């Protein structure tokens, strides 16, 4: 069997970061170029051929629609190219879940697309970047990787883009999956899938947005007033994601203001500020015109809502159907 041919799209982040000292706390993300990174990777001697392309070299806090569009274009080209087997994206971990989920929603799942990052800069003691990258290569080159949507590799876990979230601010085990945990366990020598492919041969679910609509996230808290909502509506929000209390709750006046917003055709999604758990539909959602985020946390709920609105899907029942689909 020939070595897998992998396109590596580099965007920066800590995996390309440097501190200038193995023990320094602060560092700069996005310092090492992809050519240098791949030269170092070549010393690991894994059975894969790489082509590196530098898309950006930045802190992922600054990633947004322009880079997302660029990534989508490059990956679409790679999916159409019979000489390319799979794509790896190196990415900062802070917004990796948003980029991964957006690509998951807007690309076919016929070839593996794998995001990978690191929690420690490349020159730190115990740097995790090269190992995570080796694990990502294992996942991207595996014949059973297609049909699982976009994947995210961190530590020795492979997570699906829909489930992955950054759950800790520091440390190499910062990512978790909900409701599913890891879909595979990886190490530089081997890979084990924990479940069969669930999206085999699937076409892209949605068109990539030609424009990203204004969809703010409203963080709920005790003592919050309706003014928090009316400001967002006056500023032109097309949708609002509530990072609600508990299972998607808010103070009465905030809930009423959100129902008013829904009556003005602002799509309102109830998610939660709690780390994990389902936000399910409740009886008042029909009357209020609300959508329940189900397993999606606020950041990913916002991405899905932007994609839906950009695709012309704004009816709460249709939006709910998209949120309920795994
Ligand atoms: N601030 C960095 C970034 O997201 C953090 C990281 O990559 O871990 O680019």
């Amino acid at each position: 069997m020939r070595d897998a041919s992998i396109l590596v799209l580099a965007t920066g982040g800590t995996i390309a970061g440097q501190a200038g000292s193995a023990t320094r706390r602060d560092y700069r993300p996005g310092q090492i170029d992809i050519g240098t990174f791949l030269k170092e990777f070549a010393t690991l001697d894994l059975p894969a051929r790489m082509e590196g392309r530098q898309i950006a070299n930045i802190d992922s806090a600054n990633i947004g629609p322009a880079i997302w569009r660029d990534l989508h274009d490059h990956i679409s080209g790679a999916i159409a190219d019979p000489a390319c087997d799979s794509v790896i994206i190196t990415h900062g971990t802070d917004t990796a879940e948003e980029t991964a989920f957006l690509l998951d929603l807007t690309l076919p799942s016929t070839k593996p697309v794998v995001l990978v990052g690191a929690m420690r800069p490349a020159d730190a003691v115990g740097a995790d970047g090269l190992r995570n990258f080796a694990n990502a290569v294992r996942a991207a080159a595996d014949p059973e990787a297609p049909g699982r949507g976009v994947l995210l590799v961190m530590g020795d876990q492979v997570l699906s883009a829909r489930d992955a979230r950054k759950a800790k601010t520091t440390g190499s085990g910062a990512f978790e999956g909900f409701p599913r945990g890891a879909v595979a366990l990886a190490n530089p020598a081997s890979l084990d899938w924990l479940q069969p492919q669930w999206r085999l041969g699937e076409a892209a679910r949605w068109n990539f947005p030609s424009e990203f609509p204004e969809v703010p996230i409203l963080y709920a808290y005790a003592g919050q007033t309706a003014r928090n909502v009316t400001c967002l509506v006056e500023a032109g929000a097309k949708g609002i994601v509530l990072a609600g209390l508990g299972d998607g709750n808010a103070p009465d006046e905030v809930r009423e203001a959100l129902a008013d917003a829904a009556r003005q055709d602002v799509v309102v999604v109830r998610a939660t500020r709690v780390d994990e758990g389902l936000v399910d539909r409740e009886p008042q959602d029909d009357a209020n015109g609300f959508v329940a985020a189900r397993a999606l946390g606020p950041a990913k709920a916002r991405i899905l809502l932007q994609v839906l609105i950009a695709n012309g899907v704004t009816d709460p029942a249709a939006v709910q159907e998209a949120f309920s689909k795994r």
Side-chain angles (χ1 to χ4, degrees):
M1 209 174 77
R2 69 173 176 85
D3 290 354
S5 169
I6 302 178
L7 173 65
V8 183
L9 303 173
T11 68
T14 300
I15 193 166
Q18 277 180 323
S21 144
T23 54
R24 208 171 129 160
R25 183 172 192 279
D26 61 321
Y27 68 94
R28 280 172 303 153
Q31 300 298 303
I32 301 170
D33 66 82
I34 189 61
T36 309
F37 185 88
L38 289 180
K39 258 189 218 133
E40 204 180 335
F41 176 75
T43 60
L44 303 185
D45 216 19
L46 278 176
R49 285 176 293 128
M50 310 275 170
E51 179 200 334
R53 284 186 208 158
Q54 196 80 51
I55 302 298
N57 211 359
I58 57 175
D59 188 318
S60 75
N62 299 314
I63 281 184
I67 291 178
W68 286 335
R69 184 163 298 119
D70 217 10
L71 286 172
H72 193 272
D73 288 350
H74 281 273
I75 300 167
S76 300
I79 288 174
D81 176 2
C84 179
D85 295 312
S86 40
V87 180
I88 293 179
I89 304 160
T90 59
H91 201 290
T93 61
D94 288 348
T95 61
E97 63 197 82
E98 278 138 288
T99 300
F101 189 42
L102 173 66
L103 295 174
D104 183 69
L105 293 168
T106 56
L107 288 168
S109 70
T110 46
K111 282 188 188 176
V113 176
V114 179
L115 267 83
V116 62
M119 292 300 288
R120 299 185 186 122
D123 54 356
V125 57
D128 50 340
L130 219 50
R131 182 183 178 97
N132 291 353
F133 191 81
N135 291 344
V137 169
R138 278 281 166 217
D142 193 89
E144 283 182 42
R148 300 173 192 270
V150 173
L151 299 169
L152 193 141
V153 171
M154 281 299 290
D156 290 354
Q157 298 194 99
V158 183
L159 301 162
S160 107
R162 199 174 179 104
D163 302 321
R165 75 186 172 91
K166 191 172 188 179
K168 296 190 179 72
T169 54
T170 56
S172 57
F175 275 71
E176 283 173 13
F178 179 81
R180 278 176 304 186
V183 296
L185 299 176
N187 64 60
S190 64
L191 177 90
D192 277 292
W193 297 108
L194 303 177
Q195 54 180 274
Q197 290 123 304
W198 61 94
R199 286 178 61 178
L200 259 186
E202 199 183 277
R205 287 184 170 176
W206 303 101
N207 293 325
F208 189 86
S210 52
E211 286 201 28
F212 283 76
E214 188 60 30
V215 176
I217 295 172
L218 177 66
Y219 194 94
Y221 51 87
Q224 190 170 35
T225 66
R227 185 73 195 133
N228 281 239
V229 177
T230 50
C231 283
L232 299 179
V233 176
E234 281 160 21
K238 299 283 179 276
I240 297 175
V241 173
L242 176 71
L245 309 165
D247 62 349
N249 300 317
D252 286 349
E253 67 175 90
V254 172
R255 188 179 285 264
E256 279 152 26
L258 286 169
D260 265 355
R263 279 190 283 277
Q264 293 167 60
D265 295 329
V266 176
V267 189
V268 176
V269 175
R270 294 189 305 107
T272 177
R273 69 178 200 177
V274 173
D275 287 351
E276 261 178 28
L278 289 181
V279 173
D280 252 325
R281 283 193 73 75
E282 57 187 20
Q284 307 91 293
D285 282 339
D286 287 340
N288 288 332
F290 294 166
V291 173
R294 305 275 297 152
L296 293 180
K300 275 182 283 175
R302 173 176 183 273
I303 294 287
L304 176 54
L305 187 50
Q306 285 186 303
V307 168
L308 293 173
I309 294 173
N311 277 268
V313 178
T314 56
D315 171 62
V319 174
Q320 184 65 69
E321 203 182 314
F323 271 82
S324 300
K325 187 169 180 174
R326 292 263 346 127

